[in-house]
Amino acid sequence: MNNLNFKTLKKYWLRFVGIAVIAGALVLAFAWTAGLFGHRTTSKTFLGDTLKNFDPGYRRAHGKGICFNGTYHSNGAAAALSKATVFAKSDIPAIGRFSIGSGNPHAADNSTATVSMALLLSPADHSQWRMKLNNFPYFPTRNAEGFLAQQKAFKPVPSTGKPDPVLVEAFLKEYPEARKSIEQKAKMPLTGSFSGAEFYVVNAFILRAANGQEQPVRWSMRPHSKFISLTKEQRDQADHDFLFKDIKKRLAEGPLYWDLVLQLAEPGDPVNDPSQPWPKDRKEVIAGTLEVKNVTDQVNGACRDINFDPTLVPPGIELSDDPVLAARAAIYSQSYNARLREIGFGKATDAVGK
C-alpha cells in the first residue's frame, strides 16, 4: 500500500514539476519580451520614463491633440488593387485626431515642427482601418533601434545645451541614412496650419486584390487647402495654441478636405526600409477624399480612447516586413494600456476632464 502511494505521489510530483517548468519558462519568456531584463530594444525601452513620469491618461507620444469627425468618400479607384471594402465606392464614417509631435500634452504649438493626423475608418462590414501619419515623408532610420539611438545621440548635454558631437558622429556612422532626414528637416518649411499640411504614412503595406495579386503601397493625405508657411520668427512669436485655434476657426467656416493618395511601388523599391523614399515618378492613385467636418477637444472627443495602431488593418490590406511596423504595434499597445489603467483607477482627471 505504501509502495503504491509512493508510486502515485511520484507520478503526480513529476507532472507537477513538468507543469511548473513550463509555467516558469512562459513567465520568463513574457518578461524577456516585455524588456524586464536583458538589453534589447522593446516597447518599454522606447516609452522609458513616460510609463511613470507622465501626466496620467495622456498619450505617451503626440500628447497634445484634438479630435475630429468626418466622412471618407471612397471613389472606387483603388478597388481593383485591394479587396478591402474601404476602397469600394462608398461613404465611410471617419474619426481622427490632429496632434503635434511633442509628448507633452500641454506643450506650446511652436515647440515642434511635427504635426500629425491619426484616422479610423469604419466601413459597413465592421472592419476597421487605422492609420497614423506625420508631415514628413519618411522615417529617419532603417529600424526602430536607430530611432532610439538618434534620440540618445541628439539629447542636449547639460553643460552646453547642445548634443555631444562625438555621440552624433558615432550615430551617423552606424545609421548614415539618418543624415538625409536631418538635412531635409532643417530645410523643411514650418507649417502654420493643420489644414494645409500633407500627412504621410512612412511604412509600406501590401494591398491584396480579390484575385490574390499583391501591390506594395505607401500613402499620404494630400490637402485641398493651400499650405501655410511660417518664418521662424513668426513661429517663435505665435500663440501657445495657434494651430488648434486655427483649425477650430477654419472648420467653423466649413469642412476641410484631404485626398488619400496611394503611391504604388515597383519591383526593387525597398518595402522593408522606411528611411528610403520611393522615386517621385511612381504611379499614384487617388483612392478617395477625407472630409473633416468638425473638431472636439480630446478631453471628451470620440478619438480620446482610440488606439490608432497602424497595424490594425482590414482584410485586403496587409503588413509588410518593415521592422518598424512591429515595433510600433508594441509601443502603441503599451501606451494605450497604461492610459486605460490610469483612467480606470481615476488618476487621469485632467485627461478626461473630471
Side-chain angles (χ1 to χ4, degrees), residues 4-65:
L4 179 62
N5 288 340
F6 175 76
K7 289 181 178 179
T8 302
L9 288 172
K10 183 178 180 181
K11 179 176 68 173
Y12 285 108
W13 171 252
L14 290 174
R15 289 181 181 178
F16 174 77
V17 170
I19 293 171
V21 169
I22 294 172
L26 288 173
V27 169
L28 289 174
F30 279 117
W32 187 84
T33 302
L36 298 180
F37 61 87
H39 300 283
R40 298 162 358 277
T41 302
T42 65
S43 57
K44 288 177 70 66
T45 313
F46 279 96
L47 294 173
D49 289 340
T50 65
L51 290 174
K52 298 178 181 178
N53 304 322
F54 200 82
D55 290 350
Y58 286 101
R59 297 171 196 269
R60 270 41 184 179
H62 299 260
K64 184 178 182 180

Short mmCIF file of all heavy atoms in Angstrom, two decimals, residues 4-65:
data_model
loop_
_atom_site.label_atom_id
_atom_site.label_comp_id
_atom_site.label_asym_id
_atom_site.label_seq_id
_atom_site.Cartn_x
_atom_site.Cartn_y
_atom_site.Cartn_z
N LEU A 4 2.50 1.66 -3.26
CA LEU A 4 1.57 2.19 -4.25
C LEU A 4 1.40 3.69 -4.09
O LEU A 4 1.41 4.44 -5.07
CB LEU A 4 0.21 1.49 -4.09
CG LEU A 4 -0.90 1.96 -5.06
CD1 LEU A 4 -0.48 1.67 -6.50
CD2 LEU A 4 -2.21 1.25 -4.73
N ASN A 5 1.28 4.14 -2.83
CA ASN A 5 1.15 5.58 -2.59
C ASN A 5 2.39 6.33 -3.05
O ASN A 5 2.30 7.43 -3.60
CB ASN A 5 0.91 5.84 -1.10
CG ASN A 5 -0.49 5.43 -0.68
OD1 ASN A 5 -1.37 5.31 -1.53
ND2 ASN A 5 -0.68 5.20 0.61
N PHE A 6 3.56 5.73 -2.82
CA PHE A 6 4.80 6.37 -3.23
C PHE A 6 4.86 6.52 -4.75
O PHE A 6 5.23 7.57 -5.28
CB PHE A 6 6.00 5.55 -2.74
CG PHE A 6 7.32 6.09 -3.22
CD1 PHE A 6 7.88 7.23 -2.64
CD2 PHE A 6 7.98 5.48 -4.27
CE1 PHE A 6 9.08 7.73 -3.09
CE2 PHE A 6 9.18 5.98 -4.72
CZ PHE A 6 9.74 7.11 -4.14
N LYS A 7 4.45 5.44 -5.45
CA LYS A 7 4.46 5.50 -6.91
C LYS A 7 3.47 6.54 -7.43
O LYS A 7 3.74 7.28 -8.38
CB LYS A 7 4.12 4.13 -7.49
CG LYS A 7 5.22 3.10 -7.31
CD LYS A 7 4.82 1.77 -7.94
CE LYS A 7 5.94 0.75 -7.80
NZ LYS A 7 5.56 -0.56 -8.40
N THR A 8 2.30 6.58 -6.75
CA THR A 8 1.29 7.56 -7.17
C THR A 8 1.78 8.98 -6.94
O THR A 8 1.66 9.86 -7.80
CB THR A 8 -0.02 7.34 -6.39
OG1 THR A 8 -0.47 6.01 -6.61
CG2 THR A 8 -1.09 8.32 -6.84
N LEU A 9 2.37 9.21 -5.75
CA LEU A 9 2.89 10.54 -5.44
C LEU A 9 4.01 10.93 -6.39
O LEU A 9 4.10 12.08 -6.84
CB LEU A 9 3.40 10.58 -3.99
CG LEU A 9 2.33 10.56 -2.90
CD1 LEU A 9 2.98 10.41 -1.53
CD2 LEU A 9 1.51 11.85 -2.95
N LYS A 10 4.86 9.96 -6.70
CA LYS A 10 5.98 10.23 -7.61
C LYS A 10 5.46 10.64 -8.99
O LYS A 10 5.97 11.57 -9.62
CB LYS A 10 6.87 9.00 -7.71
CG LYS A 10 8.11 9.22 -8.58
CD LYS A 10 8.98 7.96 -8.60
CE LYS A 10 10.21 8.20 -9.48
NZ LYS A 10 11.05 6.98 -9.54
N LYS A 11 4.41 9.91 -9.45
CA LYS A 11 3.85 10.21 -10.76
C LYS A 11 3.29 11.63 -10.81
O LYS A 11 3.57 12.40 -11.73
CB LYS A 11 2.75 9.19 -11.09
CG LYS A 11 2.09 9.44 -12.46
CD LYS A 11 1.09 8.36 -12.78
CE LYS A 11 -0.11 8.43 -11.84
NZ LYS A 11 -1.18 7.48 -12.25
N TYR A 12 2.50 11.98 -9.78
CA TYR A 12 1.91 13.31 -9.76
C TYR A 12 2.95 14.39 -9.50
O TYR A 12 2.84 15.53 -9.99
CB TYR A 12 0.79 13.39 -8.73
CG TYR A 12 -0.47 12.70 -9.19
CD1 TYR A 12 -0.88 11.50 -8.62
CD2 TYR A 12 -1.24 13.25 -10.21
CE1 TYR A 12 -2.02 10.85 -9.06
CE2 TYR A 12 -2.39 12.61 -10.65
CZ TYR A 12 -2.77 11.42 -10.09
OH TYR A 12 -3.90 10.78 -10.53
N TRP A 13 3.97 14.07 -8.71
CA TRP A 13 5.03 15.03 -8.44
C TRP A 13 5.78 15.37 -9.73
O TRP A 13 6.07 16.54 -10.00
CB TRP A 13 5.99 14.46 -7.41
CG TRP A 13 7.23 15.29 -7.22
CD1 TRP A 13 8.49 15.00 -7.60
CD2 TRP A 13 7.30 16.57 -6.60
NE1 TRP A 13 9.36 16.01 -7.28
CE2 TRP A 13 8.65 17.00 -6.65
CE3 TRP A 13 6.36 17.41 -6.00
CZ2 TRP A 13 9.07 18.22 -6.13
CZ3 TRP A 13 6.78 18.63 -5.48
CH2 TRP A 13 8.11 19.01 -5.55
N LEU A 14 6.06 14.35 -10.54
CA LEU A 14 6.75 14.60 -11.80
C LEU A 14 5.89 15.45 -12.73
O LEU A 14 6.39 16.33 -13.44
CB LEU A 14 7.10 13.27 -12.47
CG LEU A 14 8.20 12.45 -11.78
CD1 LEU A 14 8.36 11.09 -12.46
CD2 LEU A 14 9.53 13.22 -11.81
N ARG A 15 4.58 15.20 -12.72
CA ARG A 15 3.68 16.02 -13.53
C ARG A 15 3.69 17.47 -13.05
O ARG A 15 3.72 18.41 -13.84
CB ARG A 15 2.26 15.47 -13.48
CG ARG A 15 2.08 14.16 -14.22
CD ARG A 15 0.64 13.70 -14.13
NE ARG A 15 0.43 12.43 -14.82
CZ ARG A 15 -0.73 11.79 -14.86
NH1 ARG A 15 -1.79 12.31 -14.23
NH2 ARG A 15 -0.83 10.65 -15.51
N PHE A 16 3.66 17.62 -11.72
CA PHE A 16 3.66 18.96 -11.14
C PHE A 16 4.94 19.72 -11.51
O PHE A 16 4.90 20.89 -11.87
CB PHE A 16 3.53 18.86 -9.62
CG PHE A 16 3.66 20.19 -8.92
CD1 PHE A 16 2.62 21.10 -8.91
CD2 PHE A 16 4.85 20.53 -8.28
CE1 PHE A 16 2.75 22.32 -8.28
CE2 PHE A 16 4.98 21.75 -7.65
CZ PHE A 16 3.93 22.65 -7.64
N VAL A 17 6.07 19.02 -11.40
CA VAL A 17 7.35 19.65 -11.75
C VAL A 17 7.36 20.05 -13.22
O VAL A 17 7.81 21.14 -13.59
CB VAL A 17 8.53 18.69 -11.45
CG1 VAL A 17 9.83 19.24 -12.03
CG2 VAL A 17 8.66 18.50 -9.95
N GLY A 18 6.83 19.17 -14.08
CA GLY A 18 6.78 19.49 -15.51
C GLY A 18 5.95 20.72 -15.79
O GLY A 18 6.34 21.59 -16.57
N ILE A 19 4.77 20.80 -15.14
CA ILE A 19 3.91 21.97 -15.32
C ILE A 19 4.59 23.22 -14.81
O ILE A 19 4.54 24.29 -15.43
CB ILE A 19 2.56 21.75 -14.59
CG1 ILE A 19 1.78 20.62 -15.27
CG2 ILE A 19 1.74 23.03 -14.58
CD1 ILE A 19 0.54 20.19 -14.51
N ALA A 20 5.27 23.10 -13.65
CA ALA A 20 5.95 24.26 -13.07
C ALA A 20 7.06 24.76 -13.98
O ALA A 20 7.26 25.97 -14.15
CB ALA A 20 6.52 23.89 -11.70
N VAL A 21 7.80 23.83 -14.59
CA VAL A 21 8.88 24.22 -15.51
C VAL A 21 8.32 24.96 -16.71
O VAL A 21 8.84 25.99 -17.13
CB VAL A 21 9.68 22.97 -15.95
CG1 VAL A 21 10.61 23.33 -17.10
CG2 VAL A 21 10.47 22.41 -14.78
N ILE A 22 7.22 24.42 -17.27
CA ILE A 22 6.60 25.07 -18.44
C ILE A 22 6.09 26.46 -18.07
O ILE A 22 6.30 27.44 -18.78
CB ILE A 22 5.46 24.20 -18.98
CG1 ILE A 22 6.02 22.90 -19.56
CG2 ILE A 22 4.68 24.96 -20.06
CD1 ILE A 22 4.96 21.89 -19.94
N ALA A 23 5.41 26.55 -16.91
CA ALA A 23 4.87 27.85 -16.47
C ALA A 23 6.00 28.85 -16.24
O ALA A 23 5.91 30.02 -16.62
CB ALA A 23 4.05 27.67 -15.20
N GLY A 24 7.08 28.37 -15.61
CA GLY A 24 8.21 29.26 -15.36
C GLY A 24 8.84 29.75 -16.65
O GLY A 24 9.22 30.91 -16.77
N ALA A 25 8.94 28.85 -17.61
CA ALA A 25 9.51 29.23 -18.91
C ALA A 25 8.65 30.28 -19.59
O ALA A 25 9.16 31.23 -20.20
CB ALA A 25 9.66 28.00 -19.80
N LEU A 26 7.32 30.12 -19.50
CA LEU A 26 6.42 31.10 -20.10
C LEU A 26 6.55 32.46 -19.42
O LEU A 26 6.56 33.50 -20.08
CB LEU A 26 4.97 30.60 -20.02
CG LEU A 26 4.61 29.44 -20.94
CD1 LEU A 26 3.20 28.93 -20.63
CD2 LEU A 26 4.70 29.87 -22.40
N VAL A 27 6.63 32.46 -18.09
CA VAL A 27 6.79 33.72 -17.36
C VAL A 27 8.07 34.42 -17.78
O VAL A 27 8.10 35.63 -18.03
CB VAL A 27 6.78 33.46 -15.84
CG1 VAL A 27 7.20 34.73 -15.09
CG2 VAL A 27 5.39 33.02 -15.39
N LEU A 28 9.16 33.66 -17.85
CA LEU A 28 10.44 34.23 -18.26
C LEU A 28 10.38 34.76 -19.68
O LEU A 28 10.94 35.82 -20.00
CB LEU A 28 11.55 33.19 -18.13
CG LEU A 28 11.96 32.81 -16.70
CD1 LEU A 28 12.97 31.67 -16.72
CD2 LEU A 28 12.55 34.02 -15.97
N ALA A 29 9.69 34.03 -20.55
CA ALA A 29 9.58 34.46 -21.95
C ALA A 29 8.82 35.77 -22.05
O ALA A 29 9.22 36.69 -22.77
CB ALA A 29 8.88 33.38 -22.78
N PHE A 30 7.70 35.87 -21.31
CA PHE A 30 6.93 37.11 -21.33
C PHE A 30 7.74 38.26 -20.73
O PHE A 30 7.70 39.39 -21.22
CB PHE A 30 5.61 36.95 -20.56
CG PHE A 30 4.54 36.27 -21.36
CD1 PHE A 30 4.02 35.05 -20.96
CD2 PHE A 30 4.04 36.85 -22.51
CE1 PHE A 30 3.03 34.42 -21.70
CE2 PHE A 30 3.05 36.23 -23.26
CZ PHE A 30 2.54 35.01 -22.85
N ALA A 31 8.47 37.99 -19.66
CA ALA A 31 9.28 39.03 -19.04
C ALA A 31 10.38 39.50 -19.97
O ALA A 31 10.67 40.69 -20.08
CB ALA A 31 9.89 38.51 -17.73
N TRP A 32 10.99 38.55 -20.68
CA TRP A 32 12.05 38.90 -21.63
C TRP A 32 11.49 39.73 -22.78
O TRP A 32 12.05 40.73 -23.19
CB TRP A 32 12.69 37.63 -22.16
CG TRP A 32 13.90 37.87 -23.02
CD1 TRP A 32 15.18 38.07 -22.62
CD2 TRP A 32 13.93 37.92 -24.45
NE1 TRP A 32 16.00 38.25 -23.70
CE2 TRP A 32 15.26 38.16 -24.84
CE3 TRP A 32 12.95 37.79 -25.44
CZ2 TRP A 32 15.64 38.27 -26.17
CZ3 TRP A 32 13.33 37.90 -26.77
CH2 TRP A 32 14.66 38.13 -27.11
N THR A 33 10.31 39.30 -23.28
CA THR A 33 9.67 40.04 -24.37
C THR A 33 9.31 41.45 -23.94
O THR A 33 9.42 42.40 -24.71
CB THR A 33 8.39 39.30 -24.82
OG1 THR A 33 8.75 37.99 -25.23
CG2 THR A 33 7.72 40.04 -25.97
N ALA A 34 8.86 41.60 -22.70
CA ALA A 34 8.46 42.91 -22.20
C ALA A 34 9.64 43.79 -21.86
O ALA A 34 9.48 44.97 -21.57
CB ALA A 34 7.57 42.75 -20.96
N GLY A 35 10.84 43.21 -21.86
CA GLY A 35 12.02 44.01 -21.57
C GLY A 35 12.30 44.18 -20.10
O GLY A 35 12.96 45.12 -19.69
N LEU A 36 11.78 43.25 -19.27
CA LEU A 36 12.01 43.37 -17.83
C LEU A 36 13.44 43.00 -17.45
O LEU A 36 13.90 43.33 -16.37
CB LEU A 36 11.01 42.48 -17.08
CG LEU A 36 9.54 42.85 -17.28
CD1 LEU A 36 8.65 41.91 -16.49
CD2 LEU A 36 9.28 44.29 -16.88
N PHE A 37 14.14 42.28 -18.32
CA PHE A 37 15.56 42.06 -18.13
C PHE A 37 16.20 41.89 -19.50
O PHE A 37 15.52 41.73 -20.51
CB PHE A 37 15.83 40.84 -17.23
CG PHE A 37 15.31 39.54 -17.77
CD1 PHE A 37 16.07 38.77 -18.65
CD2 PHE A 37 14.05 39.07 -17.42
CE1 PHE A 37 15.60 37.57 -19.15
CE2 PHE A 37 13.57 37.87 -17.91
CZ PHE A 37 14.34 37.11 -18.77
N GLY A 38 17.51 41.94 -19.54
CA GLY A 38 18.20 41.87 -20.83
C GLY A 38 18.45 43.27 -21.36
O GLY A 38 18.11 44.28 -20.74
N HIS A 39 19.03 43.36 -22.54
CA HIS A 39 19.43 44.64 -23.10
C HIS A 39 18.88 44.83 -24.51
O HIS A 39 19.52 45.36 -25.38
CB HIS A 39 20.97 44.73 -23.12
CG HIS A 39 21.58 44.61 -21.76
ND1 HIS A 39 21.58 45.65 -20.85
CD2 HIS A 39 22.19 43.56 -21.15
CE1 HIS A 39 22.19 45.26 -19.74
NE2 HIS A 39 22.56 44.00 -19.89
N ARG A 40 17.65 44.38 -24.73
CA ARG A 40 17.07 44.52 -26.04
C ARG A 40 16.23 45.78 -26.12
O ARG A 40 15.85 46.36 -25.11
CB ARG A 40 16.18 43.31 -26.37
CG ARG A 40 16.92 42.02 -26.41
CD ARG A 40 16.02 40.80 -26.30
NE ARG A 40 14.62 41.09 -26.15
CZ ARG A 40 14.06 41.37 -24.99
NH1 ARG A 40 14.78 41.43 -23.91
NH2 ARG A 40 12.78 41.61 -24.93
N THR A 41 15.91 46.18 -27.35
CA THR A 41 15.03 47.31 -27.57
C THR A 41 13.59 46.82 -27.58
O THR A 41 13.21 46.00 -28.40
CB THR A 41 15.35 47.98 -28.91
OG1 THR A 41 16.71 48.39 -28.90
CG2 THR A 41 14.47 49.19 -29.12
N THR A 42 12.79 47.29 -26.64
CA THR A 42 11.40 46.87 -26.53
C THR A 42 10.52 48.10 -26.42
O THR A 42 10.98 49.23 -26.41
CB THR A 42 11.19 46.00 -25.27
OG1 THR A 42 11.42 46.82 -24.12
CG2 THR A 42 12.14 44.82 -25.25
N SER A 43 9.20 47.86 -26.31
CA SER A 43 8.29 48.99 -26.15
C SER A 43 8.59 49.75 -24.86
O SER A 43 8.48 50.98 -24.80
CB SER A 43 6.84 48.49 -26.14
OG SER A 43 6.64 47.53 -25.12
N LYS A 44 9.02 49.04 -23.81
CA LYS A 44 9.37 49.71 -22.56
C LYS A 44 10.61 50.58 -22.76
O LYS A 44 10.74 51.65 -22.17
CB LYS A 44 9.63 48.67 -21.45
CG LYS A 44 8.37 47.99 -20.95
CD LYS A 44 8.70 46.93 -19.93
CE LYS A 44 9.19 47.54 -18.63
NZ LYS A 44 8.16 48.30 -17.93
N THR A 45 11.54 50.12 -23.61
CA THR A 45 12.73 50.91 -23.88
C THR A 45 12.36 52.23 -24.52
O THR A 45 12.88 53.28 -24.17
CB THR A 45 13.68 50.14 -24.83
OG1 THR A 45 13.82 48.80 -24.38
CG2 THR A 45 15.04 50.81 -24.88
N PHE A 46 11.44 52.19 -25.47
CA PHE A 46 11.05 53.41 -26.18
C PHE A 46 10.26 54.35 -25.28
O PHE A 46 10.47 55.55 -25.28
CB PHE A 46 10.21 53.05 -27.41
CG PHE A 46 11.03 52.65 -28.58
CD1 PHE A 46 11.28 51.32 -28.84
CD2 PHE A 46 11.58 53.60 -29.42
CE1 PHE A 46 12.05 50.93 -29.93
CE2 PHE A 46 12.36 53.23 -30.51
CZ PHE A 46 12.60 51.89 -30.76
N LEU A 47 9.33 53.80 -24.52
CA LEU A 47 8.48 54.65 -23.70
C LEU A 47 9.22 55.18 -22.48
O LEU A 47 8.95 56.27 -22.00
CB LEU A 47 7.23 53.87 -23.27
CG LEU A 47 6.29 53.50 -24.42
CD1 LEU A 47 5.19 52.59 -23.91
CD2 LEU A 47 5.70 54.74 -25.06
N GLY A 48 10.18 54.39 -21.98
CA GLY A 48 11.03 54.84 -20.89
C GLY A 48 10.26 55.39 -19.71
O GLY A 48 9.31 54.79 -19.21
N ASP A 49 10.67 56.58 -19.27
CA ASP A 49 10.08 57.17 -18.07
C ASP A 49 8.64 57.63 -18.27
O ASP A 49 7.96 57.97 -17.30
CB ASP A 49 10.91 58.37 -17.61
CG ASP A 49 12.25 57.95 -17.03
OD1 ASP A 49 12.37 56.77 -16.64
OD2 ASP A 49 13.16 58.79 -16.96
N THR A 50 8.14 57.65 -19.52
CA THR A 50 6.77 58.11 -19.72
C THR A 50 5.76 57.15 -19.10
O THR A 50 4.61 57.52 -18.88
CB THR A 50 6.44 58.26 -21.22
OG1 THR A 50 6.49 56.99 -21.85
CG2 THR A 50 7.40 59.21 -21.89
N LEU A 51 6.19 55.91 -18.82
CA LEU A 51 5.28 54.98 -18.16
C LEU A 51 5.04 55.37 -16.71
O LEU A 51 4.08 54.96 -16.08
CB LEU A 51 5.83 53.55 -18.24
CG LEU A 51 5.82 52.93 -19.64
CD1 LEU A 51 6.53 51.58 -19.62
CD2 LEU A 51 4.41 52.77 -20.16
N LYS A 52 5.95 56.19 -16.14
CA LYS A 52 5.82 56.61 -14.75
C LYS A 52 5.72 58.13 -14.64
O LYS A 52 4.79 58.66 -14.06
CB LYS A 52 7.02 56.11 -13.94
CG LYS A 52 7.15 54.59 -13.89
CD LYS A 52 8.39 54.18 -13.11
CE LYS A 52 8.55 52.67 -13.07
NZ LYS A 52 9.78 52.27 -12.35
N ASN A 53 6.69 58.82 -15.21
CA ASN A 53 6.76 60.27 -15.07
C ASN A 53 6.03 60.96 -16.22
O ASN A 53 6.65 61.52 -17.12
CB ASN A 53 8.23 60.72 -15.02
CG ASN A 53 8.99 60.01 -13.92
OD1 ASN A 53 8.46 59.79 -12.84
ND2 ASN A 53 10.24 59.66 -14.19
N PHE A 54 4.72 60.90 -16.18
CA PHE A 54 3.93 61.45 -17.27
C PHE A 54 2.55 61.81 -16.75
O PHE A 54 2.04 61.18 -15.82
CB PHE A 54 3.80 60.42 -18.40
CG PHE A 54 3.43 61.02 -19.73
CD1 PHE A 54 4.40 61.59 -20.53
CD2 PHE A 54 2.12 61.01 -20.17
CE1 PHE A 54 4.07 62.15 -21.75
CE2 PHE A 54 1.78 61.57 -21.39
CZ PHE A 54 2.76 62.13 -22.18
N ASP A 55 1.95 62.85 -17.36
CA ASP A 55 0.60 63.23 -16.96
C ASP A 55 -0.34 62.06 -17.23
O ASP A 55 -0.48 61.63 -18.38
CB ASP A 55 0.14 64.45 -17.75
CG ASP A 55 0.88 65.71 -17.33
OD1 ASP A 55 1.60 65.66 -16.32
OD2 ASP A 55 0.74 66.74 -18.01
N PRO A 56 -1.00 61.52 -16.21
CA PRO A 56 -1.82 60.31 -16.37
C PRO A 56 -2.93 60.49 -17.40
O PRO A 56 -3.56 61.54 -17.49
CB PRO A 56 -2.41 60.10 -14.97
CG PRO A 56 -1.47 60.80 -14.05
CD PRO A 56 -0.97 61.99 -14.82
N GLY A 57 -3.16 59.44 -18.17
CA GLY A 57 -4.27 59.41 -19.11
C GLY A 57 -3.97 59.93 -20.48
O GLY A 57 -4.78 59.77 -21.40
N TYR A 58 -2.82 60.57 -20.66
CA TYR A 58 -2.47 61.12 -21.97
C TYR A 58 -1.63 60.13 -22.77
O TYR A 58 -0.96 59.26 -22.22
CB TYR A 58 -1.70 62.43 -21.82
CG TYR A 58 -2.54 63.60 -21.39
CD1 TYR A 58 -2.54 64.03 -20.07
CD2 TYR A 58 -3.33 64.28 -22.30
CE1 TYR A 58 -3.30 65.12 -19.67
CE2 TYR A 58 -4.10 65.37 -21.91
CZ TYR A 58 -4.08 65.78 -20.60
OH TYR A 58 -4.85 66.85 -20.21
N ARG A 59 -1.66 60.31 -24.09
CA ARG A 59 -0.81 59.50 -24.96
C ARG A 59 0.65 59.81 -24.67
O ARG A 59 1.01 60.95 -24.41
CB ARG A 59 -1.13 59.79 -26.44
CG ARG A 59 -2.56 59.43 -26.81
CD ARG A 59 -2.93 59.93 -28.20
NE ARG A 59 -4.37 59.90 -28.35
CZ ARG A 59 -5.05 58.87 -28.85
NH1 ARG A 59 -4.39 57.80 -29.26
NH2 ARG A 59 -6.37 58.90 -28.94
N ARG A 60 1.48 58.77 -24.78
CA ARG A 60 2.90 58.93 -24.46
C ARG A 60 3.65 59.66 -25.56
O ARG A 60 4.74 60.18 -25.33
CB ARG A 60 3.54 57.56 -24.21
CG ARG A 60 3.50 57.09 -22.76
CD ARG A 60 2.21 57.36 -22.05
NE ARG A 60 2.28 56.96 -20.64
CZ ARG A 60 1.29 57.10 -19.79
NH1 ARG A 60 0.14 57.62 -20.18
NH2 ARG A 60 1.43 56.72 -18.54
N ALA A 61 3.12 59.69 -26.74
CA ALA A 61 3.69 60.47 -27.84
C ALA A 61 2.56 61.27 -28.46
O ALA A 61 1.41 60.84 -28.46
CB ALA A 61 4.33 59.56 -28.88
N HIS A 62 2.87 62.45 -28.95
CA HIS A 62 1.86 63.32 -29.54
C HIS A 62 0.71 63.54 -28.54
O HIS A 62 -0.46 63.38 -28.86
CB HIS A 62 1.33 62.72 -30.85
CG HIS A 62 2.38 62.55 -31.90
ND1 HIS A 62 2.56 63.42 -32.94
CD2 HIS A 62 3.35 61.61 -32.05
CE1 HIS A 62 3.57 63.03 -33.69
NE2 HIS A 62 4.08 61.93 -33.16
N GLY A 63 1.10 63.90 -27.33
CA GLY A 63 0.11 64.01 -26.25
C GLY A 63 -0.90 65.11 -26.44
O GLY A 63 -2.03 65.01 -25.94
N LYS A 64 -0.53 66.17 -27.14
CA LYS A 64 -1.45 67.29 -27.33
C LYS A 64 -2.16 67.14 -28.67
O LYS A 64 -1.53 67.12 -29.73
CB LYS A 64 -0.69 68.62 -27.30
CG LYS A 64 -1.59 69.85 -27.39
CD LYS A 64 -0.77 71.13 -27.30
CE LYS A 64 -1.65 72.37 -27.34
NZ LYS A 64 -0.85 73.61 -27.24
N GLY A 65 -3.47 67.02 -28.63
CA GLY A 65 -4.21 66.83 -29.87
C GLY A 65 -5.66 67.26 -29.75
O GLY A 65 -6.11 67.72 -28.70
#
